[in-house]
Amino acid sequence: MPYVVTEPCIGVKDKSCMTVCPVDCIYEADDMVYIHPDECIDCGLCEPECPVSAIFVDTDVPANWKDYIQKNAVEAKKIADG
């Protein structure tokens, strides 16, 4: 169950989550950061670091932000692949 960054991150990009990630699976884009679901080890260290509570386990993403599960997968993979 990978973690997912959702809408509250847009325009914030605090990056505290990136600092604590032991596997560097969080990628920065223009508007927000994204978690690569295939690289995430589900450690949960990123979630409490987010100052805007934008990070959720994929099974706990609020209904109005469910599209961010796919968005994280697509955007993080795009950035990772260069």
Side-chain angles (χ1 to χ4, degrees):
M1 293 187 301
Y3 282 77
V4 175
V5 181
T6 60
E7 187 174 286
C9 183
I10 295 174
V12 176
K13 293 196 313 183
D14 177 73
K15 299 183 199 168
S16 295
C17 57
M18 295 175 78
T19 304
V20 298
C21 181
V23 294
D24 297 325
C25 71
I26 305 173
Y27 295 87
E28 182 179 0
D30 291 337
D31 58 345
M32 61 183 282
V33 299
Y34 297 98
I35 296 175
H36 194 305
D38 298 335
E39 297 175 358
C40 179
I41 60 169
D42 312 329
C43 69
L45 292 174
C46 58
E47 186 179 16
E49 294 300 317
C50 182
V52 293
S53 301
I55 302 174
F56 299 88
V57 173
D58 65 354
T59 56
D60 293 339
V61 173
N64 57 322
W65 294 330
K66 288 284 186 192
D67 59 322
Y68 281 88
I69 296 170
Q70 181 65 23
K71 190 172 184 176
N72 273 253
V74 170
E75 296 299 324
K77 288 176 184 179
K78 189 186 317 179
I79 296 166
D81 293 342

